[in-house]
């Protein structure tokens, strides 16, 4: 019996079959998941290291090459791309399509931790990230104001950023641009020579004095408390009165001098 004969002689069966197909189709359509940004993770892992004040040559020899050598033994590596620029080293690893990016990310982290002592002490902590399309920023906002740039930048960080971060669906907020508040120390080269003080002594004295660090713990009946020394400058007068050099016969040489 052909389909045509079955449709003519048994029309009820055909109606039932098509009804079942329509119901299953509607059910499948309602349960279908779709995303504007699907979770596609290309097999790429990048390692970015900031080395403040270093030239591209120093970054290449002291950071980039060491990281390249450490990660070259990882499994399923297809290509390694490295760039060294002023103060920044970027090493990108391309894996084969069969590699698990999450596992590769963990392996890269272990490799970096193993060579951390071989890297310069002045570098920032290396940042290891994977490339994921669904993690890219999907909204950019530009803001302007008549306020001073430093005051406006601080206002955004203190008020706007916390308010936006509380919204549902917000993963991370990054600021691009703006002027950060800073304190400039203008040094007179003639006075440096007269006091027999080098510029390195001035920078080291400021860096050492502007620190917060733990000094130990105090135990009592209620529990244990961590003791810290708050050594950061709280106002400009403290910075001006910072002692750069002290000698018995010449007295103190302060930053204000």
């Amino acid at each position: 019996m052909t389909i045509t004969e079955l449709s003519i002689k048994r029309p009820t069966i055909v109606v039932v079959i098509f009804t079942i197909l329509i119901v299953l189709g509607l059910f499948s359509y309602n349960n279908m998941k779709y995303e504007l940004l699907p979770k596609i993770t290309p097999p790429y892992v990048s390692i970015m290291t900031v080395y403040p004040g270093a030239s591209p040559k120093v970054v290449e020899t002291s950071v980039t090459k060491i990281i390249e050598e450490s990660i070259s033994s990882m499994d399923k590596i297809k290509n390694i791309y490295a760039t060294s620029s002023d103060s920044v080293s970027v090493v990108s690893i391309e894996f084969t399509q069969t590699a698990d990016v999450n596992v590769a990310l963990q392996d890269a982290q272990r490799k970096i931790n193993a060579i951390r002592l071989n890297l310069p002490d002045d570098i920032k902590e290396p940042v290891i990230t994977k490339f994921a399309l669904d993690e890219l920023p999907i909204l950019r906002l530009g803001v302007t104001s008549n306020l001073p740039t430093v005051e406006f930048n601080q206002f955004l960080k203190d008020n706007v950023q916390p308010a936006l971060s509380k919204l549902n669906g917000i993963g991370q907020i990054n600021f691009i641009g703006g002027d950060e508040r800073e304190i400039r120390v203008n040094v007179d080269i003639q006075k440096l020579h007269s006091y027999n003080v080098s510029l390195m002594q001035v920078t080291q004295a400021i860096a050492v004095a502007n620190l917060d660090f733990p000094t130990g713990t105090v135990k009592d009946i209620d529990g244990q408390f961590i003791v810290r020394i708050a050594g950061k400058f709280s106002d400009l007068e403290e910075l001006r009165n910072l002692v750069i050099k002290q000698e018995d016969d010449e007295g103190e040489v302060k930053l204000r001098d």
Side-chain angles (χ1 to χ4, degrees):
M1 183 178 294
T2 63
I3 297 178
T4 304
E5 292 176 343
L6 180 63
S7 302
I8 295 173
K9 295 179 179 179
R10 301 289 180 88
T12 306
I13 295 179
V14 178
V15 174
V16 171
I17 292 174
F18 274 94
T19 302
I20 293 174
L21 291 176
I22 292 173
V23 172
L24 292 177
L26 293 174
F27 177 78
S28 301
Y29 178 78
N30 291 329
N31 288 276
M32 184 183 299
K33 293 183 179 180
Y34 60 91
E35 294 182 4
L36 296 176
L37 292 174
K39 289 186 175 296
I40 301 176
T41 305
Y44 285 89
V45 171
S46 66
I47 305 171
M48 185 178 71
T49 309
V50 178
Y51 190 179
S55 64
K57 185 66 176 178
V58 175
V59 171
E60 181 182 4
T61 56
S62 302
V63 180
T64 304
K65 285 187 176 181
I66 297 176
I67 293 177
E68 279 187 282
E69 292 174 358
S70 67
I71 64 175
S72 60
S73 60
M74 294 176 59
D75 296 333
K76 300 181 179 181
I77 290 181
K78 186 177 181 180
N79 290 306
I80 297 178
Y81 308 96
T83 58
S84 301
S85 57
D86 286 330
S87 306
V88 179
S89 167
V90 179
V91 179
S92 300
I93 313 168
E94 179 185 1
F95 296 90
T96 60
Q97 293 297 329
T98 58
D100 188 334
V101 180
N102 293 322
V103 175
L105 192 69
Q106 297 174 3
D107 291 342
Q109 184 67 63
R110 285 194 292 267
K111 294 288 185 180
I112 297 301
N113 292 339
I115 63 163
R116 184 62 182 86
L117 295 178
N118 298 331
L119 298 174
D121 296 333
D122 297 337
I123 68 169
K124 304 293 184 180
E125 197 65 29
V127 178
I128 306 174
T129 56
K130 65 179 180 180
F131 183 78
L133 293 178
D134 60 321
E135 294 180 0
L136 295 177
I138 60 173
L139 181 63
R140 293 180 180 269
L141 299 177
V143 291
T144 59
S145 173
N146 294 326
L147 295 173
T149 55
V150 175
E151 182 180 344
F152 182 51
N153 186 65
Q154 195 64 39
F155 172 79
L156 292 176
K157 289 186 176 182
D158 294 340
N159 300 277
V160 178
Q161 183 178 10
L164 291 177
S165 61
K166 296 177 181 179
L167 299 178
N168 292 332
I170 299 295
Q172 186 177 0
I173 299 176
N174 295 323
F175 275 105
I176 300 176
D179 294 332
E180 294 281 351
R181 179 178 180 268
E182 65 179 10
I183 299 173
R184 295 184 179 181
V185 179
N186 298 319
V187 181
D188 189 330
I189 190 66
Q190 299 298 330
K191 291 185 178 180
L192 282 180
H193 292 320
S194 63
Y195 288 116
N196 194 22
V197 176
S198 67
L199 186 60
M200 184 63 67
Q201 286 179 269
V202 177
T203 57
Q204 288 180 347
I206 296 174
V208 171
N210 191 38
L211 291 175
D212 288 342
F213 53 90
T215 58
T217 58
V218 175
K219 296 181 180 180
D220 63 3
I221 300 176
D222 297 331
Q224 180 174 298
F225 303 92
I226 298 177
V227 179
R228 295 181 61 89
I229 290 183
K232 287 187 176 294
F233 298 116
S234 58
D235 53 46
L236 291 178
E237 197 60 31
E238 290 184 5
L239 187 60
R240 293 189 182 100
N241 293 326
L242 175 65
V243 177
I244 304 298
K245 181 181 178 182
Q246 184 171 6
E247 295 183 0
D248 296 336
D249 52 345
E250 298 181 3
E252 296 179 343
V253 178
K254 297 183 180 181
L255 188 60
R256 66 168 65 247
D257 299 327

